[in-house]
Amino acid sequence: QSGRFSGGLLLRRSQVVGVGTIMTDITERKASEVRQQRLAAAVEEISDMLAIYDSEDRLVVCNGRYGEINSSPPETSFLGKTFEEGVRHSVEHNFICEARGREEEWIQERLEMHSNPKDPFDLHRRDDQWLQISEQRLPDGGTVLLATDITERKAVEEQLRRAQRMEAVGQLTGGVAHDFNNLLFIMLGNAELLEFAVGDDEGAQKNLTAIKSSVNRAASLTQRLLAFSRQQALTPIPANITDLIGGLEEMLERTLGETVDLGVTITPDLWPATIDPHQFENALVNLAINARDAMPQGGALIIRTANVVLDEAYAWRHEEVTPGDYVRVTVTDTGSGMSPEVLKKAFEPFFTTKDVGEGSGLGLSMVYGFVKQSEGHITIDSEVGHGAMINLFMPRAQETVPEDDITCDASEFPQKAGRILVVEDDANVRQVPVSILSGQGYDVVEAKDGAEALLYLKEGEKFDLLFTDILLPGGMNGVEIADEVKSFQPNIKILYTTGYAENTVIREGQLDPNVTLLYKPYMRSELLEKIRLAFEPEEA
């Protein structure tokens, strides 16, 4: 129990004649002070912003987070200020993103929401900070306001939305690329066949060369679409990135030109990475071209490598990242850089800041698709006037890097013997490989679908190789046809072709083992080389 003593002496002619004493019980007051101290400490410890307004809508209680969020110095106090004064302070100091350009209108809307609080709502503040605001009326007419920082959650949600949007666009572009590749193949194949027919006619040969060049450019665009949509067939192997970059240096220097300095810094003892070497080289060249275009007056392009480990915490914050060991390839330029708005769309297909006719907008999207399909990770950082930095994180390989294969010169193909069954539903498309293979000496039989192909087998026909499209009508795809054909002829060779990476031969972005695939549109030399390799074991 606590008390307060008050007393005095009664004097009569300098003599003490009595004593007066008053004692007041202040136990409750002391307990109240302790409770207030504990409450104040608890309020200050809350990580969220807490503010309490009285019945006159004046701020009576707030914690330190209130001042931090409102960017006020410690000596500045909002206590005693009305809610409207606080709102106007935030708007005047440009703290509220959604209020820009409609300040007074937004203030009135916010005051109305404060007067009639309902469900929690999200508030976008400067520096990309997001708060979730909850307000509730108190019995005495006051209001308690709680603001939770949800910036990190918003970032994760935005990553998910972006990934879903990119996936939807990828499915659309993949389907378009399939049909487009068939049309391109018909044009390319017939142009190559005409080259033999026109002989030494220089004018005709010149026209055919122009046609083939345009078709190849169009085929390159569709290949980039497939790369973005993660529907190209990759052949990942343990690869030495140091060697790959070293082999590209001379070509990159020519690509960049004399006004751009190329610097390469390779980390010693760099881990091998599981990648498709050819597609990795394409990605690096695309990044170099993008950087060059961002430095019209010249500059520097730096390529660096490092061994890195992405942990669980990093993986939680980034979409599609698996914790583990990665080889990081960083490409940095000193170019014009990107604004935040451009940065958000940098990996989307067909998005470009270049003038019409100067770019397809598929360079970065192809790199994005290749990295994601390789189970890697990609980041981009850039500011206007400060260049750009792109990081490719490629998964570390657990196997050793194989020795380089020695390939023969495929420039000339002598006449060959062998019986080939060609299955393709489009007669115009089918005519191209049939003509090429027949002209090379092979005995070619053609079928429009699985039923017709199996009819030949049931009648006792024998074939050395089945060359079939994967996507076919009639209830059987190319893989199913191949399985049935093998039941008749177990030792038959199989070669697939497609303009689209169907899941029948692609598993998690990678070509199934023991599958040989030829992408449309293909050149005559590519077809004959694939056929030669299919027959090679028998010829050896």
Side-chain angles (χ1 to χ4, degrees):
Q1 186 179 30
S2 299
R4 186 177 65 183
F5 172 80
S6 178
L9 299 178
L10 298 178
L11 302 178
R12 182 183 293 171
R13 295 181 181 179
S14 302
Q15 291 181 340
V16 177
V17 296
V19 178
T21 301
I22 300 175
M23 298 184 68
T24 304
D25 189 341
I26 61 170
T27 303
E28 185 56 36
R29 194 184 76 187
K30 285 292 185 181
S32 178
E33 290 175 355
V34 170
R35 287 194 298 270
Q36 289 178 358
Q37 291 171 357
R38 289 175 178 171
L39 177 60
V43 167
E44 200 59 40
E45 287 297 319
I46 295 175
S47 59
D48 298 335
M49 184 191 91
L50 176 68
I52 300 176
Y53 296 87
D54 63 15
S55 58
E56 296 181 355
D57 218 14
R58 294 187 178 277
L59 184 65
V60 292
V61 174
C62 68
N63 60 358
R65 283 288 290 151
Y66 184 94
E68 292 176 17
I69 289 177
N70 287 282
S71 301
S72 60
E75 63 272 13
T76 302
S77 176
F78 285 91
L79 293 175
K81 301 288 182 65
T82 65
F83 177 80
E84 181 175 349
E85 290 174 319
V87 169
R88 291 190 178 277
H89 168 85
S90 295
V91 172
E92 289 169 3
H93 286 77
N94 202 26
F95 293 163
I96 312 299
C97 295
E98 54 204 63
R100 294 168 188 167
R102 52 186 296 267
E103 286 79 3
E104 188 59 35
E105 181 183 358
W106 187 88
I107 289 173
Q108 296 305 317
E109 291 174 357
R110 180 68 187 92
L111 293 177
E112 174 61 27
M113 294 170 67
H114 177 71
S115 299
N116 300 283
K118 296 178 181 177
D119 296 332
F121 63 92
D122 299 342
L123 181 66
H124 189 194
R125 294 171 58 86
R126 70 178 183 181
D127 300 327
D128 276 335
Q129 182 190 43
W130 284 87
L131 300 176
Q132 185 174 75
I133 309 295
S134 300
E135 293 179 301
Q136 188 170 348
R137 283 293 186 187
L138 298 173
D140 64 359
T143 306
V144 59
L145 182 150
L146 191 68
T148 305
D149 191 330
I150 58 170
T151 304
E152 190 168 342
R153 191 190 79 189
K154 282 286 186 180
V156 173
E157 290 175 352
E158 176 59 26
Q159 284 184 355
L160 179 59
R161 281 194 296 270
R162 189 177 305 171
Q164 291 171 336
R165 184 170 66 249
M166 300 280 263
E167 187 70 25
V169 175
Q171 291 174 355
L172 173 63
T173 55
V176 170
H178 170 257
D179 293 336
F180 196 44
N181 272 336
N182 271 344
L183 297 175
L184 291 175
F185 176 61
I186 295 171
M187 290 185 279
L188 180 62
N190 282 282
E192 287 202 309
L193 292 171
L194 278 174
E195 281 185 316
F196 293 92
V198 300
D200 296 330
D201 187 330
E202 292 185 4
Q205 289 287 355
K206 185 177 180 180
N207 291 336
L208 288 170
T209 299
I211 292 172
K212 288 171 61 179
S213 176
S214 296
V215 171
N216 284 329
R217 286 180 60 193
S220 175
L221 292 178
T222 59
Q223 192 61 31
R224 291 185 181 190
L225 285 172
L226 290 170
F228 162 74
S229 58
R230 309 182 210 180
Q231 292 165 351
Q232 63 178 345
L234 297 183
T235 308
I237 60 172
N240 188 321
I241 284 183
T242 298
D243 291 345
L244 292 176
I245 294 176
L248 282 175
E249 275 195 67
E250 184 177 346
M251 186 182 74
L252 290 176
E253 287 175 348
R254 293 198 303 268
T255 300
L256 293 171
E258 296 180 356
T259 61
V260 178
D261 295 325
L262 174 65
V264 177
T265 303
I266 301 295
T267 297
D269 301 321
L270 193 68
W271 295 329
T274 301
I275 55 173
D276 183 316
H278 178 65
Q279 294 300 332
F280 173 78
E281 291 173 339
N282 282 346
L284 207 57
V285 170
N286 270 283
L287 293 180
I289 292 173
N290 263 40
R292 179 201 65 191
D293 294 344
M295 299 182 285
Q297 307 305 318
L301 178 72
I302 308 298
I303 300 174
R304 297 190 303 273
T305 62
N307 298 324
V308 298
V309 178
L310 302 182
D311 59 17
E312 294 278 357
Y314 185 91
W316 186 87
R317 296 192 304 269
H318 296 82
E319 180 71 18
E320 295 184 6
V321 173
T322 301
D325 296 341
Y326 290 83
V327 177
R328 184 181 66 202
V329 179
T330 303
V331 180
T332 306
D333 66 65
T334 58
S336 55
M338 307 180 203
S339 67
E341 292 75 20
V342 171
L343 200 58
K344 290 179 180 179
K345 298 182 178 181
F347 292 134
E348 294 184 4
F350 306 117
F351 176 77
T352 178
T353 57
K354 299 174 184 176
D355 293 335
V356 175
E358 294 185 4
S360 64
L362 289 172
L364 285 180
S365 67
M366 185 277 287
V367 177
Y368 172 89
F370 159 67
V371 172
K372 292 294 186 181
Q373 190 174 354
S374 302
E375 299 182 353
H377 176 51
I378 184 169
T379 64
I380 180 169
D381 294 302
S382 182
E383 291 183 21
V384 175
H386 295 281
M389 180 175 70
I390 297 178
N391 290 298
L392 310 182
F393 297 84
M394 311 310 298
R396 178 184 182 180
Q398 301 304 316
E399 304 86 3
T400 57
V401 178
E403 297 292 331
D404 292 337
D405 292 330
I406 299 176
T407 57
C408 68
D409 182 9
S411 58
E412 294 186 7
F413 299 90
Q415 292 287 310
K416 293 288 183 179
R419 203 152 192 258
I420 299 175
L421 176 60
V422 176
V423 185
E424 165 63 58
D425 63 294
D426 189 315
N428 291 321
V429 174
R430 189 171 65 245
Q431 174 262 337
V432 174
V434 167
S435 298
I436 293 173
L437 295 172
S438 297
Q440 202 62 29
Y442 293 105
D443 180 12
V444 181
V445 175
E446 52 185 298
K448 66 178 183 298
D449 55 25
E452 187 175 350
L454 293 178
L455 185 61
Y456 289 117
L457 275 298
K458 291 175 181 177
E459 292 176 350
E461 299 273 3
K462 298 294 182 182
F463 297 95
D464 299 297
L465 181 139
L466 170 67
F467 180 47
T468 178
D469 192 11
I470 294 177
L471 192 62
L472 291 165
M476 294 181 70
N477 61 43
V479 176
E480 292 168 336
I481 293 172
D483 290 340
E484 286 291 327
V485 168
K486 285 182 179 179
S487 69
F488 290 93
Q489 292 184 228
N491 296 323
I492 193 171
K493 308 297 182 183
I494 307 293
L495 174 60
Y496 296 106
T497 184
T498 185
Y500 183 79
E502 287 84 10
N503 292 332
T504 48
V505 294
I506 303 296
R507 294 290 182 272
E508 298 179 355
Q510 301 178 8
L511 195 63
D512 278 353
N514 305 317
V515 167
T516 305
L517 180 64
L518 184 60
Y519 254 110
K520 300 174 186 174
Y522 50 80
M523 305 284 287
R524 170 181 175 274
S525 58
E526 292 176 303
L527 171 61
L528 294 178
E529 174 66 2
K530 289 284 188 180
I531 296 291
R532 184 191 68 79
L533 291 174
F535 281 128
E536 196 171 49
E538 286 186 356
E539 297 172 353

